[in-house]
Amino acid sequence: MADSSFDVVSKVDKMEAENALNQAAKEIEQRYDFKGADASIAFSGEDVLIKANSEERAKAVLDVLQSKAIKRNISLKSLDAGDPYPSGKEYRIEVKFKNGIEQDVAKKIGAFLRANAPKTVKNQIQGDELRVSSKSRDDLQNTIQLLKGEEFDVPLQFINFR
């Protein structure tokens, strides 16, 4: 019998991220406390650029984006926000959406699985994802539950269960 397997990934749905950004932009345009603050939020390539006339307003815009991301089921672990920095007369914050599992995080997950998962479970790093395989599908389902109960630096999704 062939091994069963699944992939552990960390991805942000591009459409959900775009929807969260659009909702945040609408709220910033309409909210009274942002009037006259020259606050804006927009995509800058793959990243998000937040602009405001003060550091506090820029952080408030970031807070609006985070609240909209949570409502769209995007984990805050996948948002990588930099510190506010001055640029001319305004303050800016660059926000990146993390996609993929970094090598060191994948190694931590692999070490966790070797220590805690059933002995039949094997894992290997494949680029920015982790393939977990075993002869027993029950062991794989237990492994998924084990990973869901543990906190890592990135949000985890489980795909390609076969």
Side-chain angles (χ1 to χ4, degrees):
M1 185 174 137
D3 282 0
S4 299
S5 67
F6 67 88
D7 294 332
V8 180
V9 297
S10 177
K11 294 190 175 161
V12 175
D13 184 2
K14 185 110 173 103
M15 287 307 298
E16 291 295 335
E18 214 170 283
N19 289 339
L21 182 84
N22 291 337
Q23 288 177 349
K26 275 185 185 174
E27 183 170 326
I28 290 162
E29 285 176 17
Q30 295 172 350
R31 272 185 36 184
Y32 180 76
D33 57 334
F34 286 117
K35 296 284 187 245
D38 295 328
S40 68
I41 183 170
F43 269 114
S44 168
E46 288 291 309
D47 303 336
V48 175
L49 184 63
I50 295 173
K51 300 177 187 175
N53 64 0
S54 72
E55 188 173 342
E56 290 76 30
R57 288 289 105 207
K59 287 181 181 178
V61 172
L62 176 62
D63 190 45
V64 171
L65 175 64
Q66 289 173 335
S67 69
K68 297 301 178 188
I70 289 171
K71 287 182 181 174
R72 309 245 14 127
N73 292 325
I74 299 173
S75 173
L76 291 183
K77 291 178 188 176
S78 57
L79 287 178
D80 186 19
D83 292 327
Y85 62 91
S87 174
K89 293 182 177 178
E90 63 188 12
Y91 281 84
R92 295 180 174 196
I93 300 176
E94 292 179 0
V95 181
K96 296 181 185 333
F97 287 101
K98 295 182 199 172
N99 273 316
I101 300 175
E102 295 175 5
Q103 199 74 21
D104 57 334
V105 176
K107 287 179 182 178
K108 284 181 192 175
I109 295 170
F112 173 77
L113 289 177
R114 281 191 296 283
N116 299 311
K119 298 300 173 205
T120 62
V121 173
K122 309 251 182 294
N123 65 72
Q124 65 188 47
I125 299 171
Q126 295 182 336
D128 61 352
E129 39 186 63
L130 189 75
R131 164 101 10 116
V132 180
S133 59
S134 173
K135 291 206 180 296
S136 167
R137 293 175 73 89
D138 290 340
D139 285 350
L140 289 178
Q141 289 175 339
N142 292 338
T143 303
I144 289 174
Q145 293 306 315
L146 195 65
L147 287 171
K148 283 182 179 178
E150 191 66 25
E151 281 294 315
F152 294 103
D153 296 342
V154 293
L156 301 178
Q157 293 95 29
F158 308 99
I159 60 171
N160 297 337
F161 191 96
R162 49 179 162 244

